[in-house]
Amino acid sequence: MNNKVTVIYAHPYTGSFDHAILESVTAELSAKNSEYEVIDLYQDNFDPVYSNEELRLFSSGIAVDPKVKAYQEKLKSSNVLIFIFPVWWYGLPAIVKGFIDKVMLNNFAYVDTNTGIKGLLSLDKCLTITTSKSPTWYLKYFGGNNIQKVFLNLTLKGVGVKQTKWVNFGSIKQSNAQTRKDFLQKIRQAVAKLL
């Protein structure tokens, strides 16, 4: 089966290491002749804040923002997701949280049941790639492990993602050219495995 990959990228600075990760990911997808699209939340000027109208329609699952509708169409036609973003304050940047809040709507990404939510998306796999000033072990053992416990295990699995994997480049301030190069190679290998 051919994979259709949607990459959700969130970093405002094109000179960032996150941007280098994005370039490595898309280079590997191209090398493998994979069909993919990139959602660049900052480039798209995505507004992560709910409007009064959006909250009024929340329970019906109706999207107002045309960008949300376009993102939903991309997700519907995908079976693999790749998220790329920095870890800020031990969790998701606001723009990524807003993407989840506004795009993963009731009757699109999930339905309510008597025992919680049931995911509606047919997403086989999700690779989440992050960067952080803190070491990865600190995020996991002292920082609440929010990416793994909340974002992957609860949020993404809750909307129907079957397999999730998290790879973090920690201690970014102490990194050097060689450790960054090695990580980009590791990412290309992770993307190849994902396909």
Side-chain angles (χ1 to χ4, degrees), residues 130-144:
T130 59
T131 58
S132 65
K133 287 195 292 185
S134 298
T136 304
W137 60 264
Y138 189 86
L139 294 178
K140 287 182 176 179
Y141 301 110
F142 298 99

Side-chain angles (χ1 to χ4, degrees), residues 9 21-22 26 29 65-66 68 93 96 119 129 140 142 146-147:
Y9 172 69
I21 292 169
L22 173 65
T26 55
L29 291 170
D65 185 338
V68 168
V96 178
I129 308 162
K140 287 182 176 179
F142 298 99
N146 290 320
I147 303 300

Side-chain angles (χ1 to χ4, degrees), residues 6-95:
T6 296
V7 180
I8 298 118
Y9 172 69
H11 200 291
Y13 176 47
T14 56
S16 70
F17 187 56
D18 284 74
H19 199 267
I21 292 169
L22 173 65
E23 290 175 337
S24 289
V25 165
T26 55
E28 187 63 26
L29 291 170
S30 295
K32 298 289 190 232
N33 294 315
S34 291
E35 186 183 354
Y36 73 91
E37 289 191 77
V38 175
I39 295 172
D40 185 334
L41 295 173
Y42 283 98
Q43 187 69 36
D44 286 355
N45 291 313
F46 174 66
D47 182 0
V49 179
Y50 266 122
S51 68
N52 184 48
E53 178 71 1
E54 286 167 322
L55 273 176
R56 188 180 67 75
L57 295 170
F58 177 80
S59 62
S60 63
I62 296 172
V64 175
D65 185 338
K67 287 182 182 129
V68 168
K69 294 176 184 177
Y71 296 160
Q72 287 179 336
E73 287 304 312
K74 289 177 184 180
L75 292 180
K76 271 199 285 194
S77 66
S78 301
N79 66 313
V80 175
L81 294 182
I82 300 174
F83 280 90
I84 304 167
F85 57 83
V87 174
W88 288 346
W89 292 107
Y90 306 104
L92 309 179
I95 202 165

Side-chain angles (χ1 to χ4, degrees), residues 17 131-133 169-183:
F17 187 56
T131 58
S132 65
K133 287 195 292 185
F169 186 74
S171 304
I172 195 166
K173 292 262 188 195
Q174 287 78 45
S175 67
N176 58 41
Q178 187 60 50
T179 57
R180 291 191 294 272
K181 183 179 175 185
D182 291 346
F183 185 79

